[in-house]
């Protein structure tokens, strides 16, 4: 199987994207896709999120990353069939393919909830080098709660995906950026962003508002994954998912 046949099998066609979405991905470095998660699926994702946080306790997120002041989860591909549709969603995959423009695979599927009074991140990119004429990584934020200025929504700097790495430009990465835009959107939204775009979580200023989100992160196929899916793959996951989904995870030995 190759990327063309995998995307075709999953129904990920370029015509699923509007011209505005393609323009936003090209020019701003991100696009907002409303109503990707329906109400029933949203309940299932939230329920499983809470179950996993309770079950894993202090070990939650340890496969990839733990962060003070947040609840983190990792390796979600192996932690419930409710997550299968996340990394195989046709419209999201079409947007990812538009950005990367060549064969890609899942790098990791994680989740994050910035707790009240916590969550501020410095502006960063998910690729550690300047723009070199092609894009290597693309992420998607799946909103399990409404994102607002109060509860610590993500901020992005439009157009920053085609320039220098933020570490070479910013003297204070946590400070507000004059060009930043806030991702304010309802639960069920997915924002796809070129991961060369400068971005970061803001402070959850609320007293009790959750800010749960999943990060479904993809990388060009020639690079290594953030989480080696072959190393972590459970047999029940492999057996449950389709050949095209296995290609996206890069878990079939060719």
């Amino acid at each position: 199987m190759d990327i063309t046949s995998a995307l075709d099998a999953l129904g990920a066609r370029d015509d699923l994207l509007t011209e505005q979405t393609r323009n936003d991905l090209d020019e701003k470095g991100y696009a907002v896709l409303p109503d990707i998660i329906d109400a029933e699926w949203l309940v299932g994702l939230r329920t499983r999120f809470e179950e996993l946080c309770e079950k894993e306790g202090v070990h939650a997120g340890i496969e990839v990353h733990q962060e003070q002041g947040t609840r983190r989860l990792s390796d979600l591909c192996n932690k419930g069939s409710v997550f299968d549709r996340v990394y195989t969603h046709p419209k999201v995959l079409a947007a990812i393919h538009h950005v990367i423009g060549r064969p890609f695979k899942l790098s990791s599927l994680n989740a994050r909830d910035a707790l009240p009074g916590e969550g501020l991140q410095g502006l960063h990119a998910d690729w550690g080098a300047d723009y070199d004429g092609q894009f290597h990584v693309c992420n998607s934020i799946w909103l399990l709660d409404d994102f607002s200025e109060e509860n610590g929504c993500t901020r992005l700097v439009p157009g920053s995906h085609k320039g220098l790495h933020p570490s070479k430009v910013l003297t204070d990465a946590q400070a507000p950026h004059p060009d930043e835009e806030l991702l304010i959107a309802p639960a069920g939204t997915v924002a796809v962003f070129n991961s060369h775009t400068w971005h970061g979580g803001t402070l959850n200023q609320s007293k009790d508002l959750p800010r749960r989100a999943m990060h479904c992160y993809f990388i060009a196929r020639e690079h290594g994954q953030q989480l080696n899916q072959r190393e972590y793959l459970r047999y029940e996951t492999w057996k449950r998912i389709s050949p095209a989904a296995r290609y996206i995870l890069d878990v079939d030995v060719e």
Side-chain angles (χ1 to χ4, degrees):
M1 182 169 288
D2 58 18
I3 190 64
T4 301
S5 57
L7 294 179
D8 183 63
L10 295 169
R13 307 181 315 275
D14 184 63
D15 63 9
L16 296 176
L17 306 178
T18 65
E19 183 178 357
Q20 183 64 57
T21 295
R22 289 191 287 268
N23 287 340
D24 284 347
L25 290 170
D26 292 341
E27 302 305 321
K28 296 175 66 173
Y30 74 95
V32 178
L33 308 178
D35 303 320
I36 294 294
I37 312 172
D38 63 45
E40 182 179 359
W41 189 18
L42 184 61
V43 170
L45 290 167
R46 287 171 170 172
T47 298
R48 188 59 179 153
F49 183 104
E50 297 301 330
E51 289 173 349
L52 289 170
C53 285
E54 181 176 358
K55 176 183 178 181
E56 298 184 5
V58 298
H59 301 291
I62 200 168
E63 300 96 335
V64 171
H65 180 59
Q66 294 180 308
E67 177 188 1
Q68 185 175 354
T70 69
R71 298 191 297 168
R72 285 271 193 170
L73 295 170
S74 301
D75 188 29
L76 294 181
C77 297
N78 283 305
K79 295 181 180 177
S81 59
V82 71
F83 300 114
D84 293 350
R85 291 164 59 197
V86 176
Y87 61 90
T88 60
H89 193 282
K91 183 177 287 189
V92 174
L93 287 178
I96 301 294
H97 191 232
H98 181 84
V99 171
I100 296 179
R102 59 192 189 281
F104 63 87
K105 58 190 172 185
L106 185 80
S107 186
S108 60
L109 177 54
N110 307 317
R112 180 179 187 264
D113 178 28
L115 302 176
E118 303 284 353
L120 178 62
Q121 295 177 318
L123 286 170
H124 61 280
D126 294 337
W127 186 253
D130 302 339
Y131 175 57
D132 62 4
Q134 61 180 349
F135 300 119
H136 303 275
V137 283
C138 190
N139 212 334
S140 57
I141 308 176
W142 294 63
L143 279 59
L144 303 187
D145 295 299
D146 296 345
F147 267 30
S148 67
E149 189 170 359
E150 185 182 8
N151 76 345
C153 65
T154 300
R155 57 180 175 144
L156 304 104
V157 180
S160 57
H161 57 302
K162 296 181 180 179
L164 298 175
H165 191 270
S167 64
K168 296 184 178 179
V169 179
L170 303 177
T171 55
D172 182 1
Q174 290 193 337
H177 190 282
D179 298 326
E180 72 184 30
E181 295 182 357
L182 299 180
L183 176 57
I184 296 175
T189 301
V190 174
V192 175
F193 66 98
N194 183 323
S195 299
H196 297 249
T197 306
W198 304 358
H199 64 280
T202 60
L203 184 69
N204 186 342
Q205 304 173 65
S206 75
K207 293 183 178 179
D208 57 2
L209 293 177
R211 191 255 190 219
R212 293 167 294 186
M214 296 181 299
H215 300 156
C216 191
Y217 175 47
F218 297 86
I219 192 164
R221 210 162 177 89
E222 67 265 25
H223 304 302
Q225 296 162 311
Q226 184 178 49
L227 186 75
N228 187 319
Q229 299 297 325
R230 295 187 189 187
E231 179 180 340
Y232 280 83
L233 183 72
R234 300 176 187 177
Y235 177 65
E236 58 266 29
T237 304
W238 186 91
K239 188 166 58 172
R240 181 181 69 239
I241 63 177
S242 69
R246 294 174 197 153
Y247 177 88
I248 297 297
L249 294 183
D250 193 23
V251 293
D252 273 339
V253 178
E254 298 177 0

